[in-house]
């Protein structure tokens, strides 16, 4: 790239990075506010909160990076047009390639970032979030022991423990499960033991009884010698579940649907695979869209603000339709095809508008760019004309006298 192209790319990159940081911070704050009460109640450290925030960044970044690129590039193109920089570039004979190359280079970098994060980084981060949730659930049980009162692990699920034993076991464990309106379960055990494992934990109960009123007026009772409860099944207010989003991409691709676990239905696995391999296509689809709506020098009377709004709405429309197709891609082959075809088709369609026959879209009509833009020869300029009372008259050339 020449000096002017590097200048344009640097401005777009800086503004897109700022937009990405601001949007990520705002969305991340809302996510943390949903979890901070549970983390404080389970007595997690500040380091755990920071770790959770960092692990949520990849998921947020993949979702908003294409829009940060769209906002950053379109704002800079509009600013350069308002400052007459695009007009000067075109008047100098540089041509539209001067700002087209930076746009496509930034789109390629954004797409590469989304691909790497969604395929490799995000699954690792999601698994770490699951580990934090399981640890917090186990610590909430310990908090119930020290408090000597009922603690709500999640909506409708309560646990109470009387005291610690001589060897650290839990004595007098009582659990009430009212998470479903159809049934209420009561579990009482004389003793229990927390058994942490990698990525989760179990509550091992001994010598107890479980009662449930699955039918009105009827109470079923089951006595048990030992009962194992997966603490991550009681996933609490972290809102995280063990899902295909936490598996490596290679593991998902090699997964046999016939032998998949109950938590891994084939439709969810297929949807997750399609999501990871389509998210990175949208920055590329937005690149020619920017050229169509934001390329070329325009006067202040050409309603460029409406063109900017059209670019933003077109980007949101393409992404929204893509989300709808992706949502059904696990159950329908046609929807899966559309999930890939929408960003690829948008790229092809806007590229045809932007580069087809040297034309550029201008708010509802086509305006042919000068022939020099497309590599042709510029026609000799005609004599300037003045219009007076609707009659065009040639302007006489001034002579030397």
């Amino acid at each position: 790239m020449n000096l002017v192209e590097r200048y344009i790319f640097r401005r777009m990159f800086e503004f897109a990075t700022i937009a990405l940081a601001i949007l990520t911070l705002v969305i991340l704050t809302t996510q943390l506010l949903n979890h901070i009460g549970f983390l404080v109640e389970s007595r997690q450290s500040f380091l755990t909160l920071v770790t959770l925030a960092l692990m949520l960044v990849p998921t947020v970044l993949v979702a908003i990076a294409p829009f940060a690129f769209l906002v950053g590039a379109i704002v800079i193109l509009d600013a350069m047009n308002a400052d007459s920089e695009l007009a000067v570039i075109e008047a100098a004979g540089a041509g539209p390639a001067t700002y087209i190359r930076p746009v496509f280079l930034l789109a390629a970098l954004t797409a590469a970032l989304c691909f790497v994060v969604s395929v490799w980084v995000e699954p690792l981060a999601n698994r770490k979030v699951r580990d934090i949730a399981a640890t917090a659930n186990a610590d909430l049980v310990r908090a119930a022991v020290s408090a000597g009162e009922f603690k709500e692990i999640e909506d409708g699920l309560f646990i109470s423990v009387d005291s610690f034993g001589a060897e650290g076991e839990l004595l007098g464990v009582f659990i009430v499960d009212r998470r479903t309106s159809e049934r209420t379960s009561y579990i009482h055990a004389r003793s229990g033991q927390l058994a942490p494992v990698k990525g989760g934990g179990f509550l091992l109960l001994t010598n107890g009884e479980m009662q449930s009123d699955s039918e009105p007026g009827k109470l079923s009772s089951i006595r048990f010698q030992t009962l194992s409860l997966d603490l991550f099944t009681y996933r609490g207010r972290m809102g995280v579940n063990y899902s295909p989003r936490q598996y490596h991409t290679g593991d998902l691709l090699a997964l046999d649907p016939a032998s998949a676990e109950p938590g891994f239905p084939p439709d969810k696995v297929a949807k997750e695979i399609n999501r990871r391999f389509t998210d990175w296509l949208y920055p590329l689809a937005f690149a020619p869209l920017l050229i169509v709506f934001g390329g070329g020098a325009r006067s202040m009377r050409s309603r460029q603000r409406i063109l900017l709004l059209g670019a933003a709405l077109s980007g949101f429309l393409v992404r929204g339709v893509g989300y709808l197709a992706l949502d059904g891609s696990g159950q329908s082959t046609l929807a899966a095809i559309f999930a890939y075809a929408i960003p690829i088709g948008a790229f092809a369609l806007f590229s045809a508008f932007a580069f087809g026959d040297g034309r550029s879209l201008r708010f509802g009509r086509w305006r042919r760019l000068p022939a020099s833009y497309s590599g042709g020869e510029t026609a000799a300029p005609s004599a300037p004309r003045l219009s007076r009372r609707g009659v065009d008259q040639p302007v006489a050339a001034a002579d030397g006298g």
Side-chain angles (χ1 to χ4, degrees), residues 230-394:
D230 186 358
L231 290 177
F232 200 76
T233 301
Y234 301 146
R235 53 196 178 101
R237 280 156 280 180
M238 291 292 292
V240 184
N241 198 3
Y242 197 66
S243 67
R245 292 179 68 93
Q246 297 153 2
Y247 264 60
H248 300 291
T249 303
D251 295 336
L252 288 182
L253 294 174
L255 186 65
D256 184 9
S259 60
E261 300 177 10
F264 289 81
D267 58 330
K268 290 186 178 181
V269 174
K271 177 182 175 181
E272 177 62 18
I273 293 175
N274 293 330
R275 184 193 67 81
R276 295 185 187 183
F277 287 99
T278 56
D279 281 345
W280 68 279
L281 295 174
Y282 286 94
L284 299 177
F286 291 164
L289 182 151
L290 290 168
I291 305 303
V292 169
F293 286 95
R298 304 180 303 276
S299 68
M300 295 301 292
R301 296 185 298 271
S302 63
R303 301 182 182 180
Q304 66 267 25
R305 301 297 179 185
I306 299 180
L307 291 178
L308 297 180
L309 180 61
L313 291 178
S314 298
F316 279 103
L317 178 62
V318 171
R319 194 65 182 99
V321 175
Y323 272 126
L324 292 177
L326 182 63
D327 188 57
S329 62
Q331 300 176 346
S332 170
T333 304
L334 182 61
I337 295 175
F338 272 108
Y340 292 89
I342 287 171
I344 297 175
F347 176 85
L349 177 64
F350 289 117
S351 295
F353 285 162
F355 308 114
D357 195 22
R359 298 173 180 234
S360 179
L361 188 62
R362 286 295 181 270
F363 193 52
R365 64 187 179 88
W366 296 94
R367 177 175 71 85
R368 183 178 295 276
L369 296 176
S372 60
Y373 283 9
S374 57
E377 296 182 357
T378 305
S382 59
R385 304 175 68 88
L386 292 178
S387 177
R388 185 178 183 182
R389 295 182 180 179
V391 179
D392 289 338
Q393 299 175 355

Side-chain angles (χ1 to χ4, degrees), residues 22 29 204 234 304:
I22 294 175
T29 301
L204 304 177
Y234 301 146
Q304 66 267 25

